[in-house]
């Protein structure tokens, strides 16, 4: 039985993004701003009998819920970061939240498209002054929120190589897309409402709504694709794979199996099989991968090539 300490061979599985705490704080601030806007819109709409204000308030409630998912994901990931139940840590909670938020965003796009199509066929009277005021106020809140959630991408670069590896925090990106979608909707709405108010083209507002829904749907699809790829362990960092092979395949050694996947924003894990005529200890191969930023967890198995010549017996 091994009686010595194994501390030098053990390691944790903390794969949170480098700006996790900072991003969590920013997200909760945006949740608070959105909730205040939501409550104000619903209260004003009820008090003044304005359907425009009331509808915008409930629309903000949907965004507040989605942003709340992002904040809760940051909180849960941080609180359970060392929970051994999660084999590779809690770094993917952000991607799970981003995927969920993207679905909500897609549903919002469908709802906007449907309501816009209905209004094209059955136009309704619009209180232009109130609607424009609501859109301007919503745009201001969303621009502040977008500023708070700016810089959604982190860039890691391999030392000594020109290959760049971009790692998204899909949770923050989902929150950012939500506020940008709302901001884009507000800009389009203002343009359409002003146009309709002066030209009496009542179809301009629902027509722009359909355009806006297509843009939002496109953003939602991109977020679903990227966060889903992380959740399904899709390997998309071909540059890093090539670097790993280049560093390990020396003196006839061959990489026979390489699995590389993301376990958190800016963190990759790798399981690698190496076959060699003259196998070295796994630690030797691991040292060859030192300095690769973003490669946070490496497991290597080394096999003796079955076709390798048997070592000659010493002469007596």
């Amino acid at each position: 039985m091994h009686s010595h300490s194994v501390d030098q061979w053990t390691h944790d599985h903390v794969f949170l993004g480098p700006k996790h705490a900072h991003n969590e704080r920013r997200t909760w601030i945006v949740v608070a701003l959105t909730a205040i806007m939501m409550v104000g819109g619903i209260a004003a709409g009820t008090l003044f009998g304005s359907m425009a204000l009331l509808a915008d308030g409930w629309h903000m409630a949907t965004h507040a819920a989605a942003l709340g998912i992002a904040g809760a994901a940051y909180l849960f990931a941080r609180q359970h970061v060392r929970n051994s139940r999660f084999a590779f840590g809690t770094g993917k909670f952000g991607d799970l939240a981003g995927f969920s938020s993207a679905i909500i965003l897609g549903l919002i796009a469908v709802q906007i498209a449907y309501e816009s199509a209905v209004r094209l066929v059955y136009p309704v009277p619009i209180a232009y002054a109130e609607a424009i005021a609501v859109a301007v106020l919503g745009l201001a809140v969303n621009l502040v929120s977008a500023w708070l959630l700016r810089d959604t991408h982190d860039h890691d670069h391999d030392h000594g190589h020109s290959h760049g590896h971009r790692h998204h925090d899909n949770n923050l990106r989902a929150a950012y897309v939500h506020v940008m979608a709302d901001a884009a909707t507000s800009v389009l709405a203002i343009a359409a409402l002003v146009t309709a108010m002066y030209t009496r083209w009542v179809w301009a507002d629902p027509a722009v709504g359909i355009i806006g829904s297509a843009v939002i749907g496109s953003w939602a699809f991109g977020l679903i694709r990227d966060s889903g790829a992380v959740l399904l362990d899709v390997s998309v960092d071909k540059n890093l794979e090539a670097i790993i092979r280049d560093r390990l395949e020396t003196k006839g050694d061959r990489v026979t199996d390489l699995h590389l996947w993301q376990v958190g924003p800016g963190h990759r894990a790798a399981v690698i099989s190496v076959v060699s005529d003259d196998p070295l200890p796994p630690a030797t191969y691991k040292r060859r991968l030192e300095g690769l930023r973003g490669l946070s967890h490496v497991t290597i198995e080394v096999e003796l090539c079955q076709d390798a010549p048997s070592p000659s017996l010493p002469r007596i």
Side-chain angles (χ1 to χ4, degrees):
M1 179 178 179
H2 188 86
S3 58
H4 302 291
S5 172
V6 295
D7 290 345
Q8 62 176 310
W9 290 284
T10 60
H11 52 269
D12 57 30
H13 295 83
V14 179
F15 300 131
L16 303 182
K19 299 180 181 178
H20 185 92
H22 182 57
N23 292 344
E24 180 181 355
R25 287 192 298 272
R26 290 191 291 174
T27 300
W28 283 121
I29 291 172
V30 172
V31 170
L33 285 174
T34 306
I36 291 171
M37 181 68 186
M38 172 197 74
V39 172
I42 293 174
T46 303
L47 182 63
F48 300 116
S50 169
M51 285 304 298
L53 285 170
L54 197 60
D56 188 71
W58 285 113
H59 176 70
M60 292 295 285
T62 307
H63 284 288
L67 292 166
I69 291 174
Y74 278 124
L75 177 64
F76 189 91
R78 175 170 53 82
Q79 290 182 335
H80 295 269
V81 67
R82 299 186 187 278
N83 190 332
S84 60
R85 291 174 57 200
F86 302 102
F88 282 94
T90 56
K92 284 188 178 182
F93 271 94
D95 297 284
L96 181 60
F99 188 85
S100 303
S101 293
I103 292 176
I104 294 173
L105 197 64
L107 293 175
I108 291 173
V110 171
Q111 179 188 13
I112 292 174
Y114 173 76
E115 291 181 357
S116 298
V118 169
R119 291 196 177 193
L120 274 175
V121 179
Y122 304 104
V124 297
I126 301 175
Y128 291 107
E130 287 182 346
I132 291 173
V134 169
V136 170
L137 181 58
L139 177 60
V141 171
N142 283 302
L143 288 178
V144 172
S145 299
W147 180 80
L148 288 169
L149 297 175
R150 70 195 186 286
D151 190 23
T152 59
H153 300 152
D154 295 318
H155 300 268
D156 292 324
H157 300 278
D158 170 39
H159 296 301
H161 293 268
S162 61
H163 303 288
H165 309 299
R166 177 177 292 184
H167 305 287
H168 298 297
D169 182 340
N170 282 318
N171 194 26
L172 188 67
R173 181 183 168 200
Y176 183 79
V177 168
H178 266 281
V179 297
M180 285 303 295
D182 222 21
T185 302
S186 297
V187 170
L188 291 173
I190 292 169
L193 289 168
V194 170
T195 300
M197 183 170 61
Y198 287 104
T199 64
R200 298 301 173 184
W201 294 347
V202 293
W203 52 265
D205 182 58
V208 167
I210 293 175
I211 295 172
S213 68
V215 173
I216 295 171
S218 166
W219 290 347
F221 175 77
L223 187 55
I224 288 173
R225 179 194 59 211
D226 294 344
S227 57
V230 175
L231 294 174
L232 294 173
D233 296 330
V234 174
S235 178
V236 295
D237 202 337
K238 299 303 180 184
N239 287 334
L240 184 55
E241 285 187 11
I243 293 170
I244 290 172
R245 290 183 182 275
D246 182 63
R247 291 194 179 190
L248 295 181
E249 293 186 332
T250 62
K251 298 181 180 179
D253 293 349
R254 296 291 301 275
V255 172
T256 58
D257 200 18
L258 172 57
H259 298 279
L260 180 69
W261 71 100
Q262 184 171 322
V263 290
H267 294 281
R268 293 280 199 265
V271 175
I272 308 165
S273 295
V274 177
V275 63
S276 174
D277 294 338
D278 186 17
L280 300 172
T284 301
Y285 295 96
K286 282 188 177 183
R287 282 194 291 270
R288 294 179 185 175
L289 302 180
E290 290 179 354
L292 291 178
R293 291 188 61 186
L295 191 58
S296 305
H297 190 285
V298 179
T299 302
I300 296 181
E301 65 173 7
V302 186
E303 299 286 346
L304 173 65
C305 180
Q306 298 298 321
D307 298 330
S310 300
S312 57
L313 295 175
R315 294 183 179 180
I316 301 176

